[in-house]
């Protein structure tokens, strides 16, 4: 039952959202989106409505039962979770995980395709004593089992690069060179890197040169202020407008997705990040 109190609350919420986004954001050369988990306190429909108002094209990192929510607002889910059997710590670098991950993707990738989700996320997992060479060989073998599924359905599997220094100790795909070596061996137009610039700034820096050198293997980019993974503003060390311009100048066709946790008011922070990265 929709109560009067609920309607009043919704009206106030929408009014507040409208006031934050009063000045429209012009279209740029990058397709920008936002990661859902950073805005968990905001109902997904409200986040979608605000995303439309500031020029975003989608919502990142949704579960399958959420895929169709952005479509109600003229957006899309830009990155989906399609294989719950695969986690950040337990993934493709262990051959004993491959069969379960393949079964999950045989269901998850067609479901993503039906909902217009262009990308699904993947992880190699933690090292747990594996050498980088053995872990890479195992990850290549696992992705080779999956790539035909992705190719047949027009969905891209994006293997995420994360830092092992601050947020994800022991994670294997913690340097771009490791990820690129895996991509070169898999060699599929539907298997790419999720280049998380927040994580790679922590591990290796040199973001712009790395993007330029490896743009052909990068399918998706994440942002996040360093240090702290907060706003893309003067409190942190990355020149995000320059990073965005470098990607746009290379004709990057993937999504440039904001994955930071605002320390202050969330919606103004997201609006400002979109404006910063509109080039």
């Amino acid at each position: 039952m929709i109560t009067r109190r609920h309607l009043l609350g919704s009206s106030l919420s929408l009014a507040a959202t409208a006031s934050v986004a009063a000045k429209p954001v012009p279209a740029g050369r990058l397709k920008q989106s936002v990661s859902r988990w950073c805005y968990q306190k905001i109902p997904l429909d409200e986040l979608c409505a605000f995303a439309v108002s500031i020029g975003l094209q989608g919502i990142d990192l949704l579960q399958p039962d959420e895929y169709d929510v952005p479509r109600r607002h003229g957006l899309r889910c830009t990155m989906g979770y399609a294989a719950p059997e695969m986690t950040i710590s337990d993934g493709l670098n262990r051959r004993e995980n491959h069969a379960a991950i393949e079964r999950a993707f045989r269901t998850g990738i067609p479901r993503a395709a039906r909902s217009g989700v262009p990308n699904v996320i993947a992880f190699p997992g933690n090292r747990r004593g594996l050498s980088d060479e053995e872990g890479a060989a195992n990850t290549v073998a696992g992705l080779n089992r999956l790539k035909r599924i992705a190719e047949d359905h027009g969905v891209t599997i994006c293997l995420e690069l994360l830092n092992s220094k601050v947020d994800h100790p022991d994670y294997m795909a913690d340097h771009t060179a490791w990820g690129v070596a895996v991509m070169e061996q898999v060699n599929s137009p539907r298997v790419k890197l999720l280049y998380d610039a927040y994580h790679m700034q922590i591990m290796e820096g040199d973001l712009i040169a790395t993007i330029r050198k490896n743009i052909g293997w990068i399918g998706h980019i994440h942002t996040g202020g360093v240090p702290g993974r907060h706003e893309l503003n003067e409190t942190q060390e990355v020149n995000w407008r320059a990073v965005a311009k470098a990607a746009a100048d290379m004709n990057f066709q993937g999504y440039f997705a904001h994955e930071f946790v605002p320390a202050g008011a969330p919606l103004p922070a997201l609006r400002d990040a979109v404006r910063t990265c509109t080039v």
Side-chain angles (χ1 to χ4, degrees):
M1 179 180 296
I2 299 177
T3 65
R4 184 176 179 182
R5 180 177 180 180
H6 173 82
L7 288 172
L8 177 60
S10 297
S11 298
L12 291 173
S13 176
L14 290 172
T17 297
S19 68
V20 169
K23 185 179 179 182
V25 178
R29 291 180 290 156
L30 293 174
K31 298 182 292 186
Q32 297 187 60
S33 62
V34 60
S35 292
R36 168 64 177 143
W37 72 267
C38 303
Y39 300 85
Q40 286 293 334
K41 293 183 178 180
I42 299 174
L44 182 53
D45 273 304
E46 289 186 22
L47 181 62
C48 289
F50 182 74
V52 170
S53 73
I54 61 171
L56 291 178
Q57 296 193 27
I59 309 295
D60 235 43
L61 298 177
L62 296 181
Q63 298 293 340
D65 61 357
E66 300 172 311
Y67 285 170
D68 292 330
V69 176
R71 298 172 77 179
R72 299 200 291 257
H73 301 267
L75 303 172
R76 72 194 315 187
C77 169
T78 48
M79 177 73 69
Y81 290 108
E85 289 79 359
M86 178 174 46
T87 66
I88 288 174
S89 58
D90 292 290
L92 289 161
N93 66 356
R94 299 280 174 177
R95 290 180 185 262
E96 59 266 30
N97 296 337
H98 290 178
I101 292 171
E102 181 180 352
R103 284 195 299 271
F105 271 133
R106 286 197 178 279
T107 300
I109 285 179
R111 183 172 183 179
R114 288 194 298 271
S115 293
V117 178
N119 305 294
V120 295
I121 198 165
F123 309 102
N126 288 355
R127 289 183 173 88
R128 295 196 180 100
L130 280 180
S131 69
D132 281 0
E133 293 75 18
E134 184 179 2
N138 292 345
T139 302
V140 169
L143 288 170
N144 280 337
R145 293 176 63 158
L146 305 175
K147 65 184 182 182
R148 182 61 183 270
I149 308 169
E151 291 165 0
D152 287 348
H153 290 88
V155 173
T156 301
I157 298 170
C158 291
L159 189 75
E160 186 164 23
L161 301 172
L162 301 173
N163 83 76
S164 60
K165 182 178 177 181
V166 177
D167 299 288
H168 302 286
D170 199 44
Y171 187 72
M172 180 159 276
D174 60 355
H175 281 84
T176 307
W178 187 93
V180 168
V182 169
M183 295 299 107
E184 289 174 340
Q185 293 177 71
V186 176
N187 194 29
S188 168
R190 289 298 175 183
V191 180
K192 299 286 186 178
L193 290 176
L194 196 175
Y195 183 80
D196 194 309
Y198 159 77
H199 289 288
M200 291 302 96
Q201 173 66 12
I202 291 171
M203 294 302 298
E204 58 192 26
D206 207 20
L207 300 181
I208 290 175
T210 301
I211 289 171
R212 285 173 176 162
K213 180 180 178 181
N214 300 294
I215 195 70
W217 302 114
I218 296 172
H220 203 80
I221 295 175
H222 276 171
T223 75
V226 182
R229 200 176 200 140
H230 297 310
E231 286 85 341
L232 311 188
N233 59 21
E234 69 282 353
T235 66
Q236 50 83 57
E237 64 195 33
V238 177
N239 181 345
W240 285 103
R241 189 168 186 83
V243 172
K245 184 177 184 301
D249 288 348
M250 295 297 292
N251 196 30
F252 177 63
Q253 294 299 303
Y255 287 88
F256 198 85
H258 298 294
E259 193 185 23
F260 64 88
V261 180
L267 296 183
L270 179 57
R271 175 203 58 202
D272 292 345
V274 173
R275 288 178 174 165
T276 295
C277 297
T278 298
V279 294

